[in-house]
Amino acid sequence: MDAKFQDIKANTNKKLNSTEQQSHSKPSKPFSVAEAVVKILEDMGVQYAFGVSGGAIAPVWAALHQSSIQVLHFRHEAGAAFAAIEAHFASDRPVVIFTTTGPGITNALTGLLAARWEGAKVILISASTSASQRGRWACQETSTYTMPSAGIFTSGQIFHYAITLESSHELTEVSRRLALGLGQPGGFVAHISIPTNIQTSSLKTLLPRVTLSHGVATATEETIAKCVQLLSEGPFAIWVGFGARGAAQEIRQLAESTGAAVMCSPRAKGIFPEDHPQFVGVTGFGGHKSVLTYMQVQRPRRILVLGTRLGEFTSFWNPAMIPWQGFLHVDIDPEVPGTAYPSTDTFAIQSDVRIFLKNVLKNFRESTGRSKTIVLPRFERDVLKPRATGLVRPELLMNMIQQVIVDGSDAVVMAESGNSFAWVIHLLRFTTPSRYRISNGFGSMGHFVTGVVGATLARRNGKAIAIVGDGAMLMNSEVNTAVKYQIPALWIVLNDGCYNICKQGMAYLGFNDVDATIPQADFVKIAQGMGAEGIRVESEAEVQVALEKAIAANGPFVVDVIIDPTQIPPSESRNQSLILQGATNY
């Protein structure tokens, strides 16, 4: 537990002691369950709560406002959930989502499923119908009479832990389970549903003491020795995933001491510097042909896989990515290794990636990755110059974003699902971790249109930029929320009047005469109508100045770029995967 966390815990314990004393000395104003839950959340290190209010959640909402937790009222529960995910990754702290009954809960589910896929730590606090009103068609009734219980109010595929709190006596167990989940490596998504009458009921017991114990999975000495032996037998490569983001220094040390080639998943850009001579490229969706060239010409004996599921968007399960003698796969989840390539020899290691690498580095005695005289294939980006006429080419826009934002600032760059993240994955180059975010597993549209608000808030003095399509910007926007709280989020909209990844993909698959057009919106006018600033870009000569103005803005800012819809992004591998799955008209 870091010093910052300990300070929060100490201060919160003082508040808890003070509150307990008040609850005993002032019986006219007993401590409520809603207040107790909020105090527990404070003790867990929660700094932010995002959500949408409603009558049924009123006691908890009021208690949040009386706490040290910063409460932000969003325009849609899904937006609040996506923002919570990105606030978690920006701050490395758990974030609360609050909703009222019925549609408040169901609206948040898409974002909560994304949180589970992304490995975020978020806690949903929702309301449910009081026992005496259940089955009587209460307003937005939330009970087993009207809503499915399995999965929403129980632990399962959405929530690691879920409970409907029916008594204050359950708070000790709830606190214990939350502390256990938040203390474990990886993600944790919880749901605490509290009937309205229970929220206002008096606390019957003392508040539980919360101790966050951070468990870390580690490999045995025998496992480390076996890994060193296997890696020492011949040239190997390192495949870096998002789960290895805390081990950037160790990955670089291992690569440079052994000469191993390094590749990364689409979510892991920047963990290993993309300008490093040993970096061969990004794998999977939007990735680089240089990786396949390496595997074909210099195929390694083994690949050390670090913190990636090797799912479809990372590998497309391409047999060309299988090394001669299999994988060594390190992950904190023991169910991950061997799943993507079940027929390939895989030595599975359950461990925190950083601790594993530290132990491996202690035992390496010689360079075994490859001969350092061999030149590795690399992806080289074309350098474009602005043209005088025509719409903005996405490639030119990405070149300018690289120059002005990636190289010229410390902003985090986030890319929305669709053609937006295809261009970003393929063309932007990052040299440090924690400056780049995509969601290509669950891949919900609207994730980063709203997630950028949470990330910018949690970064405090830093910026976050969302590169999004016009379809996503119209689907789920929290520009108005950013205006209310003066959060200087920045949106760069690739505006082509079309769900273009769908249109282009359908043509590739052989389906014609489909309509994926969108009446082209003016996102600057929309932003200004909500109190934000913006600039519209209609030619390549305007791009650089617009980006410089945007990155310097003190408040929410939208750059609306009218892009050339005929440009084909590097998404061919995804379409080929769909064809292999049968989604074709040929």
Side-chain angles (χ1 to χ4, degrees):
M1 189 182 300
D2 59 31
K4 178 167 59 173
F5 224 32
Q6 291 193 22
D7 289 343
I8 289 174
K9 185 175 185 297
N11 291 335
T12 306
N13 280 339
K14 290 179 182 178
K15 293 178 184 177
L16 292 177
N17 291 334
S18 173
T19 308
E20 287 170 7
Q21 291 169 5
Q22 291 174 21
S23 67
H24 289 298
S25 62
K26 296 182 180 180
S28 60
K29 190 179 180 182
F31 203 50
S32 71
V33 167
E35 291 168 324
V37 168
V38 171
K39 290 299 182 186
I40 290 170
L41 295 173
E42 284 184 300
D43 203 26
M44 300 284 178
V46 172
Q47 290 182 315
Y48 303 110
F50 303 156
V52 179
S53 60
I57 197 68
V60 167
W61 190 36
L64 284 166
H65 276 287
Q66 296 302 313
S67 73
S68 64
I69 297 171
Q70 186 175 352
V71 183
L72 279 77
H73 199 269
F74 276 66
R75 308 298 166 257
H76 194 278
E77 292 87 353
F82 290 131
I85 294 169
E86 298 313 315
H88 161 71
F89 285 122
S91 66
D92 198 29
R93 292 178 180 274
V95 179
V96 161
I97 304 157
F98 61 89
T99 75
T100 190
T101 47
I105 298 169
T106 56
N107 283 348
L109 288 178
T110 301
L112 290 161
L113 278 163
R116 181 71 180 255
W117 275 69
E118 290 296 306
K121 284 185 165 71
V122 298
I123 303 167
L124 171 65
I125 305 295
S126 76
S128 57
T129 303
S130 302
S132 59
Q133 277 75 51
R134 295 172 192 167
R136 300 171 59 192
W137 297 105
C139 180
Q140 298 178 334
E141 179 170 339
T142 300
S143 71
T144 54
Y145 291 96
T146 58
M147 290 180 67
S149 176
I152 299 179
F153 300 98
T154 60
S155 306
Q157 281 73 31
I158 305 175
F159 300 105
H160 295 92
Y161 171 61
I163 186 174
T164 298
L165 188 67
E166 300 285 7
S167 167
S168 66
H169 292 289
E170 296 175 294
L171 281 175
T172 299
E173 177 61 12
V174 169
S175 177
R176 186 188 73 83
R177 292 292 298 271
L178 290 178
L180 181 65
L182 294 173
Q184 295 300 307
F188 179 68
V189 182
H191 181 193
I192 312 301
S193 179
I194 316 173
T196 304
N197 67 314
I198 300 298
Q199 295 175 44
T200 54
S201 65
S202 299
L203 193 64
K204 305 298 185 184
T205 60
L206 294 178
L207 280 173
R209 297 296 187 195
V210 176
T211 301
L212 286 179
S213 176
H214 291 273
V216 179
T218 58
T220 65
E221 291 183 7
E222 291 78 10
T223 299
I224 296 295
K226 180 66 174 178
C227 290
V228 170
Q229 176 198 330
L230 294 175
L231 295 176
S232 300
E233 290 175 353
F236 69 91
I238 303 171
W239 199 342
V240 180
F242 183 66
R245 61 191 180 279
Q249 181 179 342
E250 289 75 18
I251 293 169
R252 183 164 184 167
Q253 185 178 347
L254 178 64
E256 291 179 345
S257 65
T258 63
V262 182
M263 61 192 84
C264 76
S265 73
R267 281 208 302 165
K269 287 165 64 70
I271 295 174
F272 188 84
E274 292 188 79
D275 61 354
H276 195 284
Q278 288 172 240
F279 185 72
V280 295
V282 181
T283 65
F285 182 82
H288 303 137
K289 291 182 179 179
S290 52
V291 175
L292 294 177
T293 300
Y294 165 73
M295 291 300 295
Q296 291 162 1
V297 177
Q298 303 177 35
R299 179 171 297 192
R301 181 185 291 262
R302 291 186 173 88
I303 293 180
L304 176 62
V305 181
L306 302 173
T308 169
R309 302 183 186 102
L310 298 183
E312 182 178 7
F313 266 43
T314 294
S315 70
F316 289 111
W317 310 301
N318 189 341
M321 295 302 298
I322 300 173
W324 292 118
Q325 293 188 330
F327 299 108
L328 283 76
H329 197 150
V330 184
D331 204 280
I332 57 172
D333 185 346
E335 296 184 7
V336 166
T339 302
Y341 289 94
S343 300
T344 302
D345 287 342
T346 300
F347 186 71
I349 306 105
Q350 183 187 12
S351 178
D352 172 85
V353 173
R354 185 166 182 260
I355 292 176
F356 168 81
L357 290 176
K358 280 182 173 295
N359 289 327
V360 165
L361 286 165
K362 292 176 184 176
N363 291 277
F364 255 106
R365 293 290 180 267
E366 58 184 79
S367 297
T368 55
R370 66 177 177 90
S371 171
K372 295 183 180 181
T373 61
I374 298 176
V375 177
L376 293 168
R378 293 175 52 78
F379 168 70
E380 298 296 339
R381 183 181 56 191
D382 293 331
V383 178
L384 304 179
K385 293 183 178 181
R387 60 188 181 187
T389 60
L391 299 175
V392 178
R393 291 166 291 174
E395 300 97 318
L396 183 281
L397 175 61
M398 293 302 141
N399 282 352
M400 289 298 181
I401 290 173
Q402 180 77 47
Q403 176 183 326
V404 176
I405 294 174
V406 179
D407 297 340
S409 79
D410 66 350
V412 170
V413 176
M414 322 178 101
E416 191 66 82
S417 297
N419 281 355
S420 298
F421 74 6
W423 291 117
V424 167
I425 293 166
H426 193 71
L427 292 176
L428 294 190
R429 182 175 291 179
F430 297 87
T431 58
T432 57
S434 304
R435 287 203 54 203
Y436 157 83
R437 279 283 295 140
I438 63 166
S439 171
N440 63 341
F442 195 65
S444 174
M445 286 179 63
H447 183 133
F448 291 103
V449 170
T450 55
V452 68
V453 177
T456 307
L457 175 71
R459 294 195 81 219
R460 297 183 181 273
N461 296 321
K463 281 207 180 243
I465 289 91
I467 301 173
V468 306
D470 51 344
M473 196 70 175
L474 289 167
M475 180 179 286
N476 194 11
S477 171
E478 295 287 346
V479 173
N480 187 265
T481 305
V483 169
K484 175 177 173 61
Y485 299 103
Q486 275 303 290
I487 299 170
L490 168 59
W491 293 263
I492 300 173
V493 185
L494 277 59
N495 190 347
D496 55 12
C498 188
Y499 288 112
N500 215 353
I501 195 170
C502 300
K503 178 182 177 181
Q504 293 166 341
M506 290 293 278
Y508 192 99
L509 298 174
F511 297 99
N512 299 308
D513 302 320
V514 297
D515 182 14
T517 58
I518 303 170
Q520 196 160 59
D522 188 327
F523 291 102
V524 173
K525 289 182 179 179
I526 294 171
Q528 290 172 339
M530 291 189 287
E533 296 184 35
I535 188 168
R536 192 171 175 91
V537 176
E538 297 180 329
S539 72
E540 293 185 349
E542 301 169 335
V543 173
Q544 182 172 345
V545 172
L547 294 178
E548 289 171 348
K549 183 176 180 179
I551 198 69
N554 294 321
F557 200 97
V558 174
V559 181
D560 186 8
V561 186
I562 310 304
I563 63 167
D564 184 349
T566 65
Q567 300 297 301
I568 305 298
S571 56
E572 182 180 17
S573 54
R574 164 62 171 163
N575 294 322
Q576 290 174 341
S577 179
L578 288 170
I579 289 173
L580 291 174
Q581 295 173 55
T584 178
N585 194 38
Y586 291 119

